[in-house]
Amino acid sequence: MVELLAYAVTMLFIAPHVVLLSPRRLALAAGALIGAAQFSSSLLHGFIPLLVTRVACGLGFGLANTALNLTAARTNSPTRAISIGLAIQTIIYTLINLSLPVVGTNHGTPGMFVMLAVLAMLFTLAGGSFLPDRPGTSNLQSPVQWNELKSSGRIVLIAISLFSFGSLALWPFIERAAHEIGISAVTYGRYQSIATLACAISNTIFGILAQRIPRRWSLPVSLLICGLSCAALTLVSNEAGFAIALIVFNVSWLIAYPLILSVAYQIDAGGRLAVLCSSAWIINMAAGSLVTGAIAQWLESYVLVGPLGLISCVGAFLLLRPLVLSPCRRS
């Protein structure tokens, strides 16, 4: 939670100034910061120093996410750029999830932190070198305040907050929901692996076809499917139904998210609003998880959390509908 909060706050404070920043330098700074924090974690033994390194990691992730959002803003299709980026990220996470336990078995927790430090520096050095080096050309040079945002910008922020709050409220507890209907940890891990692979494939395909698919129907369809699958995760009581819902939920969420960001790029081509949206996503995911924990403790069940996700997805689309139907040159 400390790392996520630092991640979100970094983007929240840096967003007004992103037109003055170089994506490449942001990415390289992020890699150095994350690498140093992870390596330091391998040497530490106290809880408070470890929390400090989590704050540093969150700061680095916030800088890295900002660099990617700024780079996407300079492409002809931000939706495609974000989708392909998510596909690459999913593949990297999968490889890390497979290799990290092996490293941990042979070299313990310090070895795991060292591996993460090395990977952070390698990926940012390799990927950061391809990012633009100069700040954006937008003429919006002054910091933007909340009351200076266009009403449409505030609508997008509220919509993505609602979407992430409800649809991700169950995220940290999905495995527990699976255990409630008799699915073992091993079986759940297999389904999640399939879902991860499906995300990488679907985001790659969607990224390629993004400009050919009208957003006026792709956004409501993805949000509706995401909401229905989220509801199914806590309403179904059989293994097959849960497995299908889990895979569909993962895939549809990672398609809906870049589509919502594309509306932000439509309003603010410089990328500031998109960075704010990423910050809102992290903050509301954490808030939703806290609400889920309270609901589960109160009802001793997660059954209401899934329908909450459906309501949030429908609400997000109702807010975005006027903006989605308005003319837009970029997707």
Side-chain angles (χ1 to χ4, degrees), residues 91-268:
I91 294 171
I92 292 173
Y93 281 172
T94 301
L95 294 175
I96 290 175
N97 288 337
L98 291 173
S99 57
L100 203 59
V102 177
V103 173
T105 300
N106 296 316
H107 303 285
T109 302
M112 297 167 72
F113 278 121
V114 170
M115 173 190 165
L116 293 174
V118 172
L119 288 177
M121 290 185 287
L122 285 178
F123 283 125
T124 50
L125 286 174
S129 60
F130 293 99
L131 300 184
D133 188 34
R134 295 182 179 180
T137 57
S138 172
N139 58 3
L140 301 173
Q141 298 294 325
S142 58
V144 61
Q145 303 297 325
W146 172 258
N147 58 2
E148 295 175 349
L149 280 174
K150 297 177 181 178
S151 60
S152 52
R154 290 194 290 269
I155 289 173
V156 175
L157 282 172
I158 295 170
I160 199 164
S161 296
L162 182 63
F163 168 65
S164 55
F165 177 86
S167 65
L168 292 178
L170 185 66
W171 180 253
F173 307 96
I174 292 180
E175 185 171 357
R176 294 189 184 184
H179 295 338
E180 285 188 355
I181 61 173
I183 298 176
S184 69
V186 173
T187 302
Y188 172 80
R190 291 171 181 166
Y191 292 143
Q192 186 60 60
S193 298
I194 295 172
T196 302
L197 178 61
C199 286
I201 295 173
S202 62
N203 272 108
T204 302
I205 295 173
F206 179 71
I208 295 172
L209 301 177
Q211 288 184 301
R212 303 178 185 178
I213 303 175
R215 190 177 56 193
R216 63 179 178 273
W217 66 262
S218 60
L219 181 56
V221 168
S222 62
L223 283 173
L224 179 60
I225 292 176
C226 182
L228 289 172
S229 60
C230 188
L233 285 172
T234 61
L235 295 178
V236 298
S237 57
N238 62 85
E239 183 175 324
F242 183 91
I244 294 172
L246 179 65
I247 295 169
V248 173
F249 170 72
N250 279 267
V251 170
S252 58
W253 199 97
L254 286 177
I255 290 177
Y257 175 67
L259 283 169
I260 296 176
L261 280 189
S262 72
V263 182
Y265 286 115
Q266 169 190 338
I267 296 168
D268 176 19

